Amino acid sequence: MRRLSYFARETLISLRRNLLMTLAGILTVTVSLLLLGGILLFQQWVDHGTNKWKHGVEFEVYMKTDATKEQIDALRNQLNNDRQIKSANYISKEQAYNDFKRIFKDKPDLVSSVDPSALPASFRVAPTQVRQTTTLRDKYNTRPGVDEAITADKAIKQLIDITNFLRYMFIAISTILIASSLFLIVNTIRLATFARRREIEVMKLVGASNWFVRIPFMAEGLIEGLIGAALAVSGVFGLKLLFERIQEGFFQRYFVTSGEAGVIGISLIVAGALIGVIGSGIGLRRFLRV
């Protein structure tokens, strides 16, 4: 107990002695891990949305607004009897209008200017195999009463490309900031050990082990890393709540589970602890050579 009390007291003294450097280190850890956690959360959000889209509806067949009931029924029969098609869901004009009102509910003037007759009926089609999408689109694009068959692959590819770009950019920025936080923690520990270099020399001369000297300073780095990581985790869960608020309209298919956010949070806590311990370990190397 005496040792634990000594280590805790020395750690708190060291944290207070270099308060500005400590705060700078915590802030840098927070920002770097928040960027990293944010892009990981965003990646999960996009993955869920695009996977559900790609494996649920591969292309949509829009009927002409003046298509007859016979043409719609004929196309429905062809889609239902096609062995290359897993499912084909019919979206009536009324259903399309309800979707339109939900998506543009914040634009009442636009909604009031459109009625169900102005919107086309459609079929949302899922092939049995993804690679058949383009062939089936071309096949049904020329059927009587069909205005256009549109695949989602181009839109998804653009979204994934943008996501990958953002992911690499934020990971690069996070890496730079993590290196900066390591540098700040190293310098904080070096300042603390320099201020107590005479005391450390005396402790080593009377037989104190390297680990006995090292623990309070490593605990200081660990605390800085953990506090920064905890703040970053709170920011990640804040982002999750933001994603839930915009989960409507086009983005209703996009989501992040609490379990996935929890895994990201735990990863950030571990990363923050490692940053603190590694930084303090590097900062101590020079001053443990007596």
Side-chain angles (χ1 to χ4, degrees):
M1 288 298 295
R2 286 184 177 179
R3 285 195 173 189
L4 288 176
S5 176
Y6 167 78
F7 292 146
R9 184 178 67 254
E10 293 300 310
T11 300
L12 290 174
I13 290 172
S14 188
L15 285 169
R16 288 199 302 266
R17 183 175 293 164
N18 302 292
L19 186 58
L20 288 178
M21 288 289 288
T22 297
L23 292 175
I26 290 173
L27 182 62
T28 310
V29 171
T30 300
V31 174
S32 59
L33 292 182
L34 179 57
L35 279 174
L36 182 60
I39 195 60
L40 290 175
L41 195 75
F42 181 68
Q43 183 70 45
Q44 290 288 340
W45 185 70
V46 171
D47 284 347
H48 280 300
T50 54
N51 283 337
K52 190 170 183 178
W53 191 359
K54 288 195 294 184
H55 296 297
V57 177
E58 283 292 344
F59 69 98
E60 194 152 0
V61 181
Y62 289 96
M63 306 300 294
K64 295 177 180 177
T65 54
D66 59 352
T68 64
K69 184 178 183 301
E70 289 74 18
Q71 289 174 328
I72 293 173
D73 289 340
L75 183 61
R76 181 191 285 114
N77 290 331
Q78 292 171 11
L79 290 169
N80 289 336
N81 295 324
D82 193 327
R83 293 184 178 180
Q84 292 180 306
I85 291 176
K86 180 170 60 177
S87 64
N89 297 320
Y90 176 65
I91 309 299
S92 66
K93 288 175 176 284
E94 288 72 21
Q95 288 174 298
Y97 183 63
N98 289 334
D99 288 342
F100 180 83
K101 288 193 297 183
R102 186 180 69 253
I103 294 171
F104 296 103
K105 65 181 181 182
D106 58 337
K107 298 181 179 179
D109 293 338
L110 177 61
V111 172
S112 63
S113 66
V114 176
D115 58 67
S117 63
L119 299 174
S122 64
F123 290 89
R124 292 177 181 170
V125 184
T128 55
Q129 296 183 5
V130 175
R131 64 174 180 270
Q132 297 170 339
T133 302
T134 304
T135 302
L136 289 170
R137 178 201 63 189
D138 295 340
K139 176 181 176 180
Y140 287 98
N141 201 32
T142 56
R143 290 293 189 267
V146 172
D147 181 41
E148 188 179 15
I150 300 176
T151 58
D153 55 350
K154 184 177 180 181
I156 291 175
K157 184 178 184 302
Q158 290 176 341
L159 183 60
I160 291 174
D161 287 343
I162 292 171
T163 303
N164 287 336
F165 171 76
L166 290 174
R167 180 179 62 192
Y168 295 137
M169 181 179 72
F170 280 111
I171 287 176
I173 295 172
S174 297
T175 302
I176 294 171
L177 287 173
I178 287 172
S180 300
S181 60
L182 270 173
F183 175 78
L184 283 171
I185 291 173
V186 167
N187 281 328
T188 302
I189 300 302
R190 282 182 175 173
L191 284 173
T193 51
F194 182 78
R196 301 177 61 188
R197 63 191 183 281
R198 300 301 179 196
E199 181 182 341
I200 292 172
E201 289 175 0
V202 172
M203 291 171 66
K204 291 298 298 296
L205 287 171
V206 298
S209 66
N210 280 345
W211 278 109
F212 186 85
V213 176
R214 198 178 270 138
I215 286 176
F217 298 105
M218 295 192 73
E220 179 184 350
L222 179 64
I223 289 172
E224 289 184 31
L226 288 176
I227 293 175
L231 293 172
V233 170
S234 65
V236 166
F237 277 91
L239 284 174
K240 181 182 180 298
L241 293 176
L242 176 62
F243 287 157
E244 290 175 353
R245 290 177 65 88
I246 63 173
Q247 194 176 349
E248 58 184 27
F250 176 79
F251 294 109
Q252 63 184 336
R253 301 176 183 273
Y254 294 71
F255 65 93
V256 179
T257 66
S258 297
E260 290 166 340
V263 170
I264 292 172
I266 292 171
S267 300
L268 295 184
I269 293 291
V270 172
L274 288 175
I275 289 171
V277 170
I278 292 172
S280 57
I282 294 172
L284 283 167
R285 288 173 63 187
R286 180 190 304 177
F287 293 95
L288 290 180
R289 297 169 186 165
V290 179

